[in-house]
């Protein structure tokens, strides 16, 4: 079933890696934000439904929330026209509208070309420095291109997720992108499948960029999401990525609210 349509309002976020959105405190949202017409895909192609309990608890306290976006070029924003068009930058604008009044800080720590094992080392340093309530870990594409063994990739993801959980930090895995030239690459598929297994095994929220981008590519042939190199995203591609991640996060946050209501019955 497709998610509801909606046109995103213009984003008003500043440049630089650390972004702020401050208004009066607001309660948890009752549902995900609408998607822009260009970014609409079936909800099942966006993400798994997993509760973000710790992050929701911080939001309920109506204090500032800090989100660490970490990964490779898709997080750094390679191919975007400016720092305000990266996915973390656009994500903050979407979350501001979905959580009116929430004080949100999104910290962009993307590093182009990085594989998961190197990001895993950085995560510990960045968590100590930023003290985030939620980590968005974009991973997999470079591991597939570098021919990292899937089991090695799984072990890296598993151990890092468990470390984050031990520190009461929720994590969202943001998966591999879709590109026709790698659609039939067996190693690309193996890393994609390994990441899905990790998400299920560790019971963490998984954003399936591959499924979402494939749906858009196959259903709207005139939609251009890629930059000039035909591999990294352009501004619209990052907008859709931001909207899909925001959709997944808000669903994960809302699950705590609905679970609490169910317990009271």
């Amino acid at each position: 079933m497709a998610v509801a349509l909606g046109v995103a309002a213009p984003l008003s976020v500043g440049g630089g890696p650390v972004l702020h959105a401050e208004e009066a405190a607001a309660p948890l949202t009752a549902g995900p934000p609408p998607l822009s017409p260009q970014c609409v895909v079936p909800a099942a192609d966006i993400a798994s439904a997993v509760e973000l309990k710790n992050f929701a608890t911080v939001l309920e306290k109506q204090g500032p929330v800090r989100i660490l976006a970490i990964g490779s070029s898709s997080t750094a924003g390679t191919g975007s026209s400016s720092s305000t068009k990266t996915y973390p930058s656009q994500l903050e604008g979407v979350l501001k509208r979905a959580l009116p009044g929430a004080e949100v800080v999104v910290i962009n720590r993307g590093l182009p070309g990085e594989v998961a094992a190197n990001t895993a080392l950085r995560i510990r340093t960045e968590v100590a420095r930023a003290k985030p309530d939620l980590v968005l870990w974009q991973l997999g594409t470079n591991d597939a291109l570098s021919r990292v063994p899937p089991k090695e990739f799984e072990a890296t993801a598993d151990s890092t997720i468990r470390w984050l959980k031990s520190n009461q930090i929720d994590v969202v895995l943001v998966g591999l992108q879709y590109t026709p030239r790698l659609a039939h690459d067996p190693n690309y598929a193996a890393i994609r499948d390994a990441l899905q297994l990790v998400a299920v095994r560790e019971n963490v929220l998984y954003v399936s960029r591959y499924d979402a981008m494939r749906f858009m590519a196959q259903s709207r042939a005139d939609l251009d999401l890629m930059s000039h190199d035909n591999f990294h995203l352009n501004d619209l591609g990052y907008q859709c990525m931001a909207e899909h991640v925001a959709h997944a996060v808000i669903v994960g946050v809302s699950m705590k609210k609905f679970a609490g209501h169910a317990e009271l019955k």
Side-chain angles (χ1 to χ4, degrees):
M1 180 175 64
V3 293
L5 298 179
V7 179
L11 302 177
S12 57
V13 294
V18 180
L19 309 157
H20 302 272
E22 302 181 5
E23 294 179 10
L28 296 182
T29 181
L35 301 175
S36 300
Q38 309 96 309
C39 303
V40 168
V41 299
D45 283 348
I46 294 178
S48 57
V50 177
E51 181 182 354
L52 296 175
K53 185 175 182 179
N54 294 324
F55 186 59
T57 298
V58 175
L59 282 170
E60 285 176 335
K61 294 178 180 177
Q62 300 184 337
V65 293
R66 297 175 67 82
I67 300 172
L68 173 65
I70 195 164
S72 57
S73 56
S74 289
T75 300
T78 302
S80 63
S81 62
S82 73
S83 61
T84 63
K85 297 299 184 180
T86 65
Y87 116 74
S89 179
Q90 297 198 62
L91 172 67
E92 186 180 80
V94 180
L95 290 178
K96 178 181 177 181
R97 295 190 295 274
L99 299 166
E103 182 182 344
V104 180
V105 179
V106 179
I107 304 166
N108 186 345
R109 291 294 182 261
L111 188 61
E114 195 169 59
V115 296
N118 292 336
T119 309
L121 295 175
R122 285 203 301 125
I123 282 176
R124 286 164 168 77
T125 301
E126 295 295 347
V127 164
R129 180 181 302 162
K131 297 178 172 55
D133 305 295
L134 176 67
V135 170
L136 307 174
W137 187 7
Q138 171 259 316
L139 71 167
T141 297
N142 288 327
D143 292 82
L145 296 176
S146 300
R147 297 303 191 248
V148 172
K151 288 298 182 183
E152 180 181 320
F153 173 76
E154 284 187 47
T156 296
D158 280 331
S159 61
T160 306
I161 291 167
R162 290 168 189 169
W163 181 83
L164 288 166
K165 285 181 175 180
S166 72
N167 285 278
Q168 288 73 54
I169 301 170
D170 287 332
V171 59
V172 175
L173 301 177
V174 182
L176 290 69
Q177 67 192 59
Y178 169 79
T179 175
R181 66 175 174 165
L182 293 172
H184 302 293
D185 183 305
N187 202 70
Y188 204 78
I191 293 293
R192 186 191 70 220
D193 294 345
L195 189 57
Q196 292 175 325
L197 287 173
V198 168
V200 172
R201 182 164 58 239
E202 300 297 335
N203 190 33
V204 294
L205 200 159
Y206 168 68
V207 178
S208 179
R209 294 172 65 203
Y210 189 93
D211 291 339
M213 290 181 67
R214 180 175 59 184
F215 178 88
M216 289 187 288
Q218 294 179 348
S219 63
R220 296 190 287 280
D222 60 336
L223 191 63
D224 184 12
L225 302 175
M226 311 304 286
S227 64
H228 60 86
D229 65 6
N230 203 33
F231 182 72
H232 296 98
L233 300 179
N234 59 20
D235 290 350
L236 177 59
Y238 286 122
Q239 177 186 325
C240 292
M241 182 178 177
E243 291 187 14
H244 295 163
V245 172
H247 182 285
V249 167
I250 295 302
V251 169
V253 166
S254 299
M255 287 178 70
K256 182 177 188 297
K257 177 181 179 181
F258 298 141
H261 287 171
E263 290 171 3
L264 294 174
K265 291 183 181 179

